[in-house]
Amino acid sequence: MPQMNDAALSREFLLLRRLAGVAALWLAIGTHVPLAWAQALESPVSQAAAPVYRRPAALLEERVTDLLARMTMAEKLAQLHSGLLTTHRTASRIEALQRGAVNQTRLGIPILFFDAVDNGFRGHADRRVTAFPQAIALASSWDPGLVQEVYGIHARDLRARGGGLLLGPALDVSRDPRHGRVELSFGEDPYFVAEMGVAAVTGLQGPGVAGSLPPGKVLAAVQHLAGPGPSDEGAGPVPVSERELREVYLPPFEAVVKRTGIQAIAASRNEIDGVPSHASKWLLRDILRQEWQFGGAVLADQGGVNELQSLHHVATSVADASRLALEAGIDVDMSDGHAHRKLTNAVREGRVSSARIDEAVSRILRLKFRAGLFEQPFAEHLAAGTLHRRSSSRTALIAAQRSVILLKNDGALPLALAATGERQPKIAVFSKMAVMEGIRSRVRGRAEVAFMKDLRVARTADHIVVVIGEHGQTGRDQEQRLLDSLRTLGKPIVIVLVSGRPHAGVKIAEQANALVAAWGLGEQGGRAIADVLFGDINPGGKLPVTLPRSVGQSPLFYNVKPSAQRGYLFDTTEALYPFGWGLSYSAFELSPPRLSAASIGLDGSVEVSVDVRNSSQRAGDETIQLYIRDKLSSVTRPVKELKGFQRVSLAPGEQRSVTFLLNSHSLAMWDDSMRRVVEPGEFDIMTGPNSIQLQSAKLTVLGEVQK
Amino acid sequence: MTRKVRWGRRNAIKYLAGLSAYAGAALALPGLAAVAAGPTGEAVPYKDASLPLHLRVQDLLSRMTLEEKIAQLIALWATKAEIMADATSEFSDSKTSQAYPAGIGQITRPSDRRGAPVIAEKRWRTSQETIRFINDIQRWAATRTRLGIPVLFHEEALHGYMAPDATMFPAAIAMSGSFDLDLVREVNSVIGREMRAHGSHLALSPVVDIARDPRWGRIEETFGEDPYLCSEMGVAAVTGLQGNGRTLGPGKVFATLKHMTGHGQPQSGQNVGPAPIGVRELRENFFPPFREVVARTGISSVMPSYNEIDGVASHANKWLLGGVLRGEWKFDGVVVSDYNAVEQLHTLHHVVADFPAAAIKAIESGVDGELPDGTAFRNLADLVRGGRISAGLIDTACARMLSLKFRAGLFENPYADIDAARALTGNAEARALALRAAQRSICLLKNDGTLPLAAGKHRRVAVIGPNAAVARLGGYSSEPKHAVSLLEGVQARLAGKAEVVHVQGEVITRSEDRSADEVLLADPAKNRQLILEAVALAKTADVILLAIGDTEQTSREGYAANHLGDRTSLDLLGEQNALLDALHALAKPLVVLAINGRPPSYPNAVAKANALLECWYAGQEGGTAMAGVLFGDVNPGAKLPVSVARDAGQIPLYYNAKAAPGIGPRAPASRNPSPLFPFGFGLSYTRFEISAPRLSAHTIRTTGSVVVEVDVRNTGPRTGDEVVQLYVHDPVASVARPLKQLKGFARVTLAPGEQRKVSLTLDARALALWNAEMKEVVEPGLFHIMVGPNSRDLKQATLEVI
């Protein structure tokens, strides 16, 4: 065993003992502990008499049934509270723990180690892994293929560290930038979040919808069912109604359940109309399992079980919270099992059925079998330490480049560099960190780059680049003062927003000659931004959220119902920049949409084609977006809904035809009896480069209204 | 017909006896006698006031043609043009008989001249014109229609009968802040009698929306954010307007509960915006005022809201109007549409293809009458004939409208009398009540000891500000006989005692025309000039009274895309903060009077004023009341019926929220979740001590009740009022519960040193919740019973429910 200090050793020992079900066993039936412990440790599984659950060739369900039948209640409970552990440990300790679980417990059930995707693991990380753009930045690429690739690397990195499950991606639909951590979401649109979610899960787990994980893949656990956005502290109450939930917040989860092999879903910590998700049978059983036929495991969010007692006060004690959560459908408590460890008494007193325990344990075992842990419980390639740094970094760079959004440009960008022999332009840069580095290493003697410590530097500069948001909210006043004084110089100002949240203000947008939104771009962010500023990369990102002009417009999102946005006195309902917005150094011409059929049946589908032409002298990317509006419906429908998008790269002068398929799923809605139907009638089919500059065609859906 | 057989001799005698009882009226109003009998001369049951209501309705209905029935379901507003003589605003018998041979159900706002030729500066009919117009129409209906069905006239009456000369009381949000139910009842009683004296019988009031967004311009029309307070205020207002019982007594009018529901939390603060509110949230917060009023009064009428709830517009919401309102609550009155809301099913919500389909959808969902013009419902006859809607639905709606007319006594006497109206309207008693209402609605939010001012102590008193010299009455008001501004109130109060000087110092909007669609803020440069003037004047004064806030233009009902009323910023508009800063810099005593219909989210004013009075739109006697409060004749005792946010970023902010990580006790200090002023907050010139609550029993059953006693003592030097507030909290429940909920209050007046025991009865019903199965239950367990002077400073006892 690797070296450990005493305290760590005893902690690990306790954990192992918990995992063996021994401590619980002692409490439950009063067995003499040393004896049981010794037996557990001294009976490593004999390979010769390999039981069914140890046979890789056996069917998954046979293995689960076999193993479950061998488990004591204490061992089962141990799986519920300690069957999954975080990878927030050193690699050697992860390995030691796994070795203990595999070799030193009676049944040798391996631990499933998990981690959360949080800014490319940067929070707790191992320096060897790659830091990718945050979710909101990746979303800005409007490139599901890229998202899939990045999550593929997440999977490989996690697998290499002994992890088998990744908590993520977050499928929360974020409609309010005040809420939680928007940067960890894919934005405000249900369809868009669903597409990105499917891509991310596919990247993590590999393609396909069933079976075991291929090498280098991990299980995904999408989160948080269901709430308004990721948050550090857990979300506030969400008193939303059922149709709103079904139309806005649930679709990404449903899409992932139906289109990928997702095996785990984490519940949200918020309550919905008085019922916390961790205690919601309706959400976790009626919808998730019955309507969507989800067969995997439902995980608690960190603290989500405890909070049934401590925050929502729907449970009298932690033990009660644990019982409630289990009954509602939470299978595993992820907080190192603090709450689910209290289940023992509830089981003894018959307040939790053993059938429900078996059900939950089976789901955890299934995860472990699917992850291949019984065959390969240890980190892949750990010894070799091959994390493919170079290729990962390249992907991180491409991801960062494709995520940058050009919000405004009056021609100030791209910045020109001197050709040989020319006078070097002077660029004053206000940035302490990565962007400065990126610019410095990019110009290489073709421009003079000066750090702008005061206005004097700016006075003599040809170009001014100001990075906003490196210091979070605290630095904003200082940054604004700097901008105000720079503005008096009358020189073109390029502003780069690097805050993780959509925090552009009206004033900044007005003061900028060019405005670049770069979110949190990960380790290659500085270089990617420099590439965009100097035109090596033609920006093609688009906003996955609406940027409001002021907090007083909140919530501001594009897919509103027709009765929203009557208007304000002395202000506008217009966004600072709308959903889907993003410019390019190129110019594109988009044709109106052409439909393959002017009318279709209720179950029919239609192809929508758009010609897009790069009418400029530069190669560049455009993302063609497809929106629909159901013009007359039994319940109100949004004024537009995204139903398709494609990012295409076009050489100067190149024209291409882009085709979308709209089917009955795209046109469906939840009618006045809460059935999902397509209602006959007219639909506006709208295409364009963002959510406001749209051209329209009319589609008629023929059929009878379902009674 | 079987009915004829049942119509026996006894009834006929009764009928004739009843007829002679109002023979006097008939003589005074020629024509009535002619219709005392049916068209063929025989006595008709529906005209017999002694018969049970349902028989009269049944009888009348059986005599009506389809067109006559549909006529009852519509109203005339712009279409009043069709019943007025050309180029006048006078009623025309011949035109009306031509246009409405089947009769007229309802007339919208008879006191306004809508439909008549536009005359600048003349929007209203005079009292006399209104009464003549109404009597002419009633006389026509009685004599020139086949069945003589009287017409129902409705008017706005939110804080006064909205017609010239009528008394204008403080805005609803102000009245709610009085926490004085008797006062609200009395005020509504006067509103009702002034309106009734003018011949109208249906008031479109009160508004019992739960207001949760101060950006929303209609917040002034509400009783605030709390379901219990809105319920109690709603019951008081309805009782005041209608009286007790189901029929109208003299001087009473029917009330209309508005707007069911979700209107008060419109998405993004924009009027009529969607309300995607969950069922439990609806039941626990938005329904209670409607439900309580239906249960406890004879409420005649309910108006659905413009907005949609979870995709379903309220005028198309069968569950809301049928299942809940009529089914669960047993409401048996009429559901009248909000203005143009039936049309909006087509034009705004796009859930129907045209107006005829809108009419079908609305009537099928439970809407009985379409206001203001019946644009969609006018298609109903064709729709019935075309088989697109069943005649039975028309009968049901018509029966309800007729029932209302019978209950109103309209068949017995539909007429108004100008002399009676003159004597009553805006009389001394009404004025005194308006003054008392204003006095009891003014809320002291900050006081460093500057208030009360001693009259005469400050020799030169500067009254400054955009709202100083104008009596702001708020939306839904007309032109009362007189109105007192702050300046006039102070001048009168200080006459002979001190010099009162005034400059405006600021202009908020370029125009004061509240009906104007476009609202333009005043020129900032001009305002800066006015501020200099104000500073120059204030320098010479000993105390500054600064009246700031909103105008009827800057926060109002945004009833159309070209007539907006909602805002993104809650702070003072224009250069008002600059004016305040400039005056503050003079280091003279600065008393700020907020005159507005929106909660005072004015952090700068709060920080800089020595004292801050929230006066709201205080009604026609507001200036006198403000002066009374400033100079200590009146000790302010109102409380805030809303939480006051620091800025728009805090919205939604309401005290009865559920626990969230951001607002619980563990919230990080960096995120200030606390309001600028909490719900229920308000100061006094005296001080009070409130004891911890004592319970008459520590344990009650789920069907029981407990008396909560608390001692209140005036420990200060002045007589004053305290509002003792009772809140409950369910610490463990099957569904998440609010941190606290108001469940009782009492406003008491105490002399210096006086102590009084306040007893509040708490029914276990007040502890009920809607459980996971959406059943209303009282769950056994412990409850925190909290008492105090506002929603923040509370003392607690524990009650066990078994």
Side-chain angles (χ1 to χ4, degrees):
Chain A
M1 221 183 226
Q3 286 198 339
M4 288 191 209
N5 63 29
D6 287 352
L9 266 178
S10 69
R11 266 204 312 276
E12 302 297 293
F13 176 76
L14 280 172
L15 197 52
L16 268 184
R17 204 171 69 163
R18 237 163 59 201
L19 201 59
V22 175
L25 189 68
W26 175 25
L27 287 169
I29 53 174
T31 306
H32 187 246
V33 177
L35 178 63
W37 179 232
Q39 284 173 343
L41 294 184
E42 286 168 14
S43 342
V45 178
S46 156
Q47 298 299 321
V52 174
Y53 80 89
R54 287 239 170 258
R55 295 180 203 152
L59 292 174
L60 174 68
E61 288 311 312
E62 288 173 358
R63 298 178 78 181
V64 171
T65 309
D66 179 67
L67 179 50
L68 193 68
R70 293 168 191 273
M71 293 170 79
T72 65
M73 181 53 75
E75 283 165 339
K76 289 173 183 172
L77 291 181
Q79 288 301 316
L80 298 189
H81 58 66
S82 304
L84 274 69
L85 296 176
T86 77
T87 54
H88 298 190
R89 304 168 156 85
T90 62
S92 58
R93 201 166 295 169
I94 290 169
E95 193 190 342
L97 270 172
Q98 189 68 297
R99 208 168 288 286
V102 170
N103 296 331
Q104 298 178 336
T105 64
R106 195 171 69 89
L107 296 166
I109 303 172
I111 299 164
L112 176 54
F113 285 98
F114 67 90
D115 203 344
V117 59
D118 180 350
N119 206 5
F121 308 111
R122 202 157 59 185
H124 30 79
D126 191 321
R127 284 168 173 263
R128 291 172 304 173
V129 300
T130 315
F132 289 99
Q134 291 172 315
I136 193 89
L138 284 177
S140 304
S141 73
W142 290 61
D143 183 350
L146 176 69
V147 171
Q148 184 174 332
E149 190 181 342
V150 167
Y151 276 80
I153 296 171
H154 283 324
R156 202 191 54 209
D157 286 357
L158 179 57
R159 194 79 195 194
R161 296 170 61 239
L165 179 139
L166 188 122
L167 271 183
L171 300 183
D172 309 56
V173 171
S174 295
R175 285 181 154 187
D176 190 335
R178 293 173 301 173
H179 195 101
R181 299 183 62 191
V182 174
E183 68 270 25
L184 300 186
S185 82
F186 291 129
E188 76 184 29
D189 182 76
Y191 171 85
F192 184 81
V193 173
E195 294 306 307
M196 291 301 174
V198 167
V201 171
T202 308
L204 290 171
Q205 302 196 152
V209 294
S212 299
L213 287 180
K217 293 296 175 188
V218 296
L219 296 169
V222 292
Q223 50 192 9
H224 311 82
L225 183 70
S231 163
D232 285 337
E233 297 132 2
V238 187
V240 299
S241 45
E242 182 177 346
R243 187 174 286 101
E244 180 90 345
L245 201 64
R246 289 184 178 279
E247 289 179 351
V248 178
Y249 298 103
L250 296 183
F253 293 94
E254 186 183 7
V256 163
V257 168
K258 297 204 166 147
R259 290 163 57 189
T260 76
I262 190 75
Q263 297 299 328
I265 292 181
S268 67
R269 285 161 62 190
N270 55 276
E271 57 143 289
I272 299 170
D273 199 23
V275 182
S277 300
H278 282 70
S280 178
K281 282 182 183 156
W282 178 71
L283 193 62
L284 302 182
R285 293 183 176 276
D286 298 355
I287 291 184
L288 181 59
R289 298 211 180 271
Q290 284 172 22
E291 285 187 30
W292 300 348
Q293 297 290 304
F294 175 67
V298 177
L299 317 183
D301 198 359
Q302 296 272 334
V305 177
N306 280 8
E307 282 175 355
L308 294 181
Q309 187 264 323
S310 63
L311 176 68
H312 301 296
H313 302 287
V314 296
T316 52
S317 62
V318 175
D320 192 31
S322 182
R323 180 188 57 79
L324 261 183
L326 190 72
E327 274 177 3
I330 299 284
D331 297 313
V332 202
D333 177 8
M334 307 292 286
S335 316
D336 271 7
H338 286 307
H340 266 18
R341 272 153 64 190
K342 311 269 184 178
L343 276 173
T344 313
N345 284 342
V347 172
R348 192 170 52 194
E349 290 159 16
R351 282 181 290 129
V352 174
S353 76
S354 58
R356 172 67 188 115
I357 300 279
D358 284 356
E359 181 186 60
V361 172
S362 305
R363 290 183 186 142
I364 297 162
L365 295 177
R366 262 181 225 118
L367 289 183
K368 294 185 174 186
F369 284 117
R370 283 185 195 277
L373 287 176
F374 284 82
E375 287 70 57
Q376 168 52 291
F378 300 107
E380 290 175 359
H381 317 299
L382 187 69
T386 49
L387 289 185
H388 308 281
R389 273 294 291 158
R390 199 166 297 158
S391 70
S392 300
S393 288
R394 182 165 165 65
T395 305
L397 176 63
I398 292 169
Q401 289 168 338
R402 289 177 76 79
S403 298
V404 175
I405 309 168
L406 182 63
L407 292 174
K408 176 183 178 180
N409 188 17
D410 66 2
L413 284 181
L415 300 175
L417 290 173
T420 322
E422 282 180 6
R423 183 188 80 90
Q424 291 183 6
K426 184 173 168 187
I427 307 173
V429 180
F430 180 76
S431 161
K432 289 207 177 74
M433 298 192 265
V435 181
M436 187 68 182
E437 263 175 53
I439 291 175
R440 280 226 161 94
S441 59
R442 173 64 188 78
V443 299
R444 291 179 188 281
R446 292 173 60 197
E448 187 189 334
V449 178
F451 173 69
M452 198 186 334
K453 45 186 187 299
D454 53 38
L455 230 48
R456 267 179 311 176
V457 179
R459 274 199 192 98
T460 58
D462 300 294
H463 307 290
I464 296 171
V465 176
V466 179
V467 179
I468 299 279
E470 283 178 328
H471 310 285
Q473 201 55 34
T474 48
R476 285 300 288 275
D477 286 348
Q478 192 203 344
E479 290 161 355
Q480 188 59 57
R481 279 197 300 277
L482 175 72
L483 282 178
D484 291 346
S485 42
L486 286 174
R487 202 62 220 159
T488 62
L489 301 180
K491 301 193 179 196
I493 301 176
V494 175
I495 298 177
V496 181
L497 297 168
V498 298
S499 88
R501 281 205 199 185
H503 267 155
V506 174
K507 198 165 182 192
I508 287 177
E510 280 167 0
Q511 287 173 332
N513 294 85
L515 182 62
V516 173
W519 317 104
L521 289 183
E523 62 179 44
Q524 301 293 325
R527 183 169 163 199
I529 290 167
D531 287 345
V532 167
L533 295 182
F534 295 104
D536 307 309
I537 290 294
N538 191 348
K542 303 271 186 177
L543 283 173
V545 287
T546 301
L547 289 194
R549 295 171 65 87
S550 75
V551 72
Q553 294 177 310
S554 302
L556 186 67
F557 46 89
Y558 85 94
N559 46 352
V560 292
K561 295 290 187 68
S563 60
Q565 300 192 339
R566 172 155 283 178
Y568 297 109
L569 281 173
F570 322 120
D571 209 337
T572 173
T573 57
E574 276 175 27
L576 181 60
Y577 295 105
F579 176 81
W581 179 263
L583 303 172
S584 165
Y585 297 150
S586 304
F588 299 96
E589 284 168 10
L590 274 68
S591 74
R594 288 188 306 275
L595 306 184
S596 61
S599 61
I600 59 173
L602 290 175
D603 295 329
S605 60
V606 63
E607 281 183 2
V608 182
S609 303
V610 177
D611 296 330
V612 52
R613 200 175 93 84
N614 182 346
S615 56
S616 73
Q617 298 305 308
R618 249 177 210 275
D621 289 11
E622 181 58 290
T623 299
I624 296 90
Q625 302 163 34
L626 169 68
Y627 298 85
I628 66 161
R629 176 174 189 176
D630 188 344
K631 297 183 77 174
L632 179 67
S633 41
S634 66
V635 295
T636 62
R637 302 299 302 146
V639 294
K640 54 190 85 156
E641 300 174 85
L642 184 71
K643 291 297 176 186
F645 59 90
Q646 279 183 48
R647 179 168 176 166
V648 293
S649 298
L650 294 175
E654 186 183 352
Q655 171 164 327
R656 199 181 305 171
S657 174
V658 171
T659 302
F660 302 92
L661 183 71
L662 280 180
N663 56 25
S664 60
H665 184 75
S666 323
L667 305 176
M669 55 173 272
W670 293 90
D671 75 357
D672 47 6
S673 308
M674 210 57 87
R675 298 168 305 184
R676 183 150 45 186
V677 298
V678 175
E679 291 187 341
E682 283 182 13
F683 290 74
D684 285 332
I685 308 299
M686 299 167 277
T687 53
N690 55 57
S691 63
I692 58 168
Q693 293 168 317
L694 298 171
Q695 301 180 82
S696 178
K698 192 174 80 180
L699 174 70
T700 304
V701 175
L702 301 169
E704 290 296 311
V705 179
Q706 198 179 321
K707 286 292 179 194
Chain B
M1 272 171 74
T2 52
R3 193 167 287 105
K4 270 192 175 165
V5 178
R6 283 212 312 265
W7 178 245
R9 197 169 151 264
R10 241 179 83 230
N11 281 333
I13 293 166
K14 258 172 72 188
Y15 174 68
L16 290 171
L19 182 64
S20 60
Y22 52 83
L27 283 179
L29 301 159
L32 186 64
V35 289
T40 53
E42 93 276 27
V44 285
Y46 73 87
K47 297 207 171 170
D48 180 353
S50 69
L51 284 182
L53 175 67
H54 71 278
L55 290 184
R56 299 180 76 184
V57 172
Q58 220 171 50
D59 175 63
L60 178 51
L61 199 61
S62 72
R63 298 168 189 273
M64 293 169 78
T65 65
L66 178 62
E67 280 73 14
E68 284 165 344
K69 290 171 185 170
I70 287 160
Q72 293 302 313
L73 310 186
I74 63 164
L76 280 65
W77 194 20
T79 42
K80 285 189 287 192
E82 298 167 1
I83 62 167
M84 289 187 275
D86 293 339
T88 77
S89 60
E90 297 296 319
F91 178 75
S92 157
D93 268 43
S94 56
K95 268 185 78 178
T96 307
S97 289
Q98 185 91 33
Y100 293 94
I104 289 174
Q106 213 174 140
I107 298 280
T108 297
R109 298 188 187 174
S111 66
D112 80 12
R113 298 178 75 258
R114 173 82 59 129
V118 176
I119 302 173
E121 306 295 311
K122 185 151 169 61
R123 181 181 159 197
W124 310 96
R125 287 188 167 81
T126 64
S127 263
Q128 188 164 12
E129 288 166 350
T130 299
I131 289 174
R132 188 168 65 230
F133 185 59
I134 287 178
N135 283 346
D136 284 352
I137 293 172
Q138 296 291 28
R139 194 172 294 110
W140 169 85
T143 60
R144 305 285 298 274
T145 66
R146 197 173 67 88
L147 295 165
I149 303 171
V151 176
L152 181 67
F153 293 83
H154 76 254
E155 288 279 9
E156 298 291 349
L158 189 61
H159 56 116
Y161 163 47
M162 195 176 82
D165 296 347
T167 314
M168 286 294 134
F169 294 95
I173 198 167
M175 293 296 304
S176 184
S178 74
F179 279 73
D180 185 343
L181 300 173
D182 291 336
L183 178 70
V184 171
R185 192 162 36 241
E186 282 177 60
V187 162
N188 278 280
S189 182
V190 169
I191 293 171
R193 82 182 182 197
E194 293 188 354
M195 181 175 149
R196 176 69 182 267
H198 285 83
S200 285
H201 288 67
L202 180 63
L204 301 187
S205 175
V207 172
V208 291
D209 291 317
I210 300 304
R212 283 183 167 178
D213 199 322
R215 293 173 293 187
W216 183 50
R218 302 195 80 175
I219 193 168
E220 70 183 54
E221 300 178 39
T222 73
F223 293 127
E225 76 188 24
D226 181 71
Y228 176 81
L229 182 61
C230 289
S231 299
E232 297 304 310
M233 289 290 160
V235 168
V238 169
T239 316
L241 290 168
Q242 295 198 170
N244 298 310
R246 289 168 40 79
T247 52
L248 287 184
K252 293 296 173 192
V253 295
F254 280 128
T256 304
L257 283 184
K258 310 197 292 195
H259 312 84
M260 191 167 169
T261 188
H263 199 35
Q265 193 171 16
Q267 197 169 69
S268 312
Q270 290 169 90
N271 193 33
V272 316
I277 299 168
V279 173
R280 184 170 291 100
E281 186 77 8
L282 287 173
R283 289 192 176 277
E284 293 188 347
N285 289 301
F286 290 83
F287 284 178
F290 295 91
R291 184 189 184 192
E292 285 297 304
V293 171
V294 169
R296 288 159 58 188
T297 75
I299 182 69
S300 70
S301 166
V302 171
M303 181 181 278
S305 57
Y306 283 117
N307 57 277
E308 58 153 278
I309 298 173
D310 200 25
V312 183
S314 297
H315 286 75
N317 196 329
K318 217 178 258 187
W319 171 72
L320 193 68
L321 305 179
V324 176
L325 176 64
R326 293 198 188 278
E328 293 179 29
W329 304 344
K330 312 290 180 214
F331 172 70
D332 66 351
V334 302
V335 172
V336 292
S337 86
D338 208 339
Y339 285 16
N340 307 110
V342 177
E343 294 159 61
Q344 287 177 8
L345 295 179
H346 166 50
T347 58
L348 181 67
H349 296 293
H350 304 285
V351 292
V352 288
D354 50 28
F355 289 166
I360 294 172
K361 188 97 177 172
I363 208 161
E364 282 181 348
S365 304
V367 177
D368 302 310
E370 192 200 2
L371 309 186
D373 267 311
T375 308
F377 276 21
R378 285 168 193 252
N379 296 292
L380 283 170
D382 286 343
L383 293 168
V384 172
R385 280 190 289 264
R388 290 179 62 193
I389 186 168
S390 88
L393 280 175
I394 306 293
D395 282 358
T396 304
C398 181
R400 289 177 185 144
M401 298 303 307
L402 294 174
S403 179
L404 199 67
K405 292 184 173 184
F406 284 118
R407 286 168 62 189
L410 276 166
F411 284 82
E412 283 67 60
N413 181 8
Y415 300 103
D417 176 57
I418 180 61
D419 294 329
R422 274 203 184 117
L424 204 63
T425 305
N427 66 11
E429 189 191 22
R431 282 182 61 176
L433 183 62
L435 176 60
R436 190 154 64 87
Q439 289 167 341
R440 290 177 77 80
S441 299
I442 292 173
C443 183
L444 178 65
L445 291 177
K446 180 184 177 183
N447 189 14
D448 64 2
T450 301
L451 289 183
L453 304 171
K457 184 185 157 209
H458 302 287
R459 301 193 34 187
R460 207 167 146 83
V461 176
V463 182
I464 295 174
N467 288 347
V470 52
R472 296 214 174 278
L473 302 173
Y476 285 90
S477 53
S478 177
E479 294 146 8
K481 284 180 177 164
H482 84 135
V484 185
S485 70
L486 169 68
L487 178 62
E488 289 160 342
V490 171
Q491 279 167 338
R493 180 63 182 79
L494 292 182
K497 297 196 178 71
E499 188 188 356
V500 177
V501 293
H502 164 71
V503 290
Q504 189 154 321
E506 169 103 23
V507 177
I508 301 178
T509 51
R510 292 185 197 187
S511 148
E512 282 284 342
D513 176 7
R514 77 183 65 155
S515 61
D517 291 330
E518 191 178 32
V519 179
L520 295 170
L521 289 176
D523 177 5
K526 278 188 189 153
N527 271 338
R528 283 192 285 275
Q529 202 56 42
L530 292 177
I531 290 172
L532 294 179
E533 265 178 55
V535 168
L537 180 79
K539 272 184 186 159
T540 70
D542 303 307
V543 63
I544 304 165
L545 308 179
L546 175 63
I548 53 173
D550 272 307
T551 80
E552 289 87 349
Q553 280 195 337
T554 61
S555 174
R556 61 180 183 179
E557 179 180 356
Y559 60 69
N562 68 348
H563 187 97
L564 299 169
D566 309 309
R567 299 241 300 266
T568 53
S569 160
L570 307 179
D571 206 347
L572 291 163
L573 281 170
E575 287 65 46
Q576 292 187 84
N577 269 315
L579 171 64
L580 189 118
D581 290 344
L583 296 176
H584 174 253
L586 302 177
K588 305 202 180 229
L590 175 64
V591 178
V592 171
L593 298 99
I595 295 172
N596 51 23
R598 173 198 299 282
S601 295
Y602 310 147
N604 184 47
V606 173
K608 289 175 181 159
N610 294 93
L612 174 67
L613 284 169
E614 174 53 64
C615 305
W616 307 107
Y617 294 134
Q620 66 177 41
E621 311 296 331
T624 309
M626 291 172 212
V629 170
L630 287 170
F631 296 97
D633 314 324
V634 174
N635 191 348
K639 303 279 184 172
L640 290 171
V642 283
S643 303
V644 181
R646 292 170 191 278
D647 56 54
Q650 288 187 311
I651 299 168
L653 182 73
Y654 43 91
Y655 86 94
N656 52 345
K658 298 203 176 146
I663 59 172
R666 294 172 299 138
S670 59
R671 276 168 56 184
N672 190 343
S674 70
L676 188 57
F677 296 107
F679 174 83
F681 182 82
L683 301 170
S684 167
Y685 295 153
T686 190
R687 291 180 303 278
F688 298 95
E689 272 175 14
I690 301 180
S691 72
R694 292 186 303 273
L695 307 182
S696 61
H698 289 286
T699 305
I700 61 168
R701 298 193 167 276
T702 52
T703 51
S705 68
V706 63
V707 178
V708 182
E709 277 182 10
V710 59
D711 298 324
V712 195
R713 206 172 116 76
N714 182 347
T715 59
R718 278 173 184 269
T719 296
D721 288 13
E722 180 56 291
V723 179
V724 179
Q725 299 163 40
L726 169 69
Y727 296 85
V728 303
H729 174 227
D730 188 347
V732 182
S734 66
V735 292
R737 303 303 301 147
L739 299 170
K740 53 191 81 158
Q741 294 173 279
L742 184 72
K743 290 298 175 184
F745 59 83
R747 181 167 176 165
V748 292
T749 305
L750 296 175
E754 186 184 352
Q755 171 164 327
R756 197 179 311 166
K757 189 172 77 184
V758 172
S759 296
L760 299 164
T761 302
L762 188 67
D763 263 5
R765 212 169 79 84
L767 307 173
L769 56 76
W770 291 84
N771 71 10
E773 287 76 47
M774 212 56 87
K775 296 269 186 311
E776 190 178 32
V777 295
V778 178
E779 293 184 342
L782 299 180
F783 289 83
H784 298 148
I785 309 299
M786 299 170 283
V787 171
N790 58 60
S791 65
R792 187 186 59 199
D793 306 314
L794 299 170
K795 293 175 178 167
Q796 181 176 321
T798 302
L799 174 71
E800 186 176 15
V801 175
I802 54 171

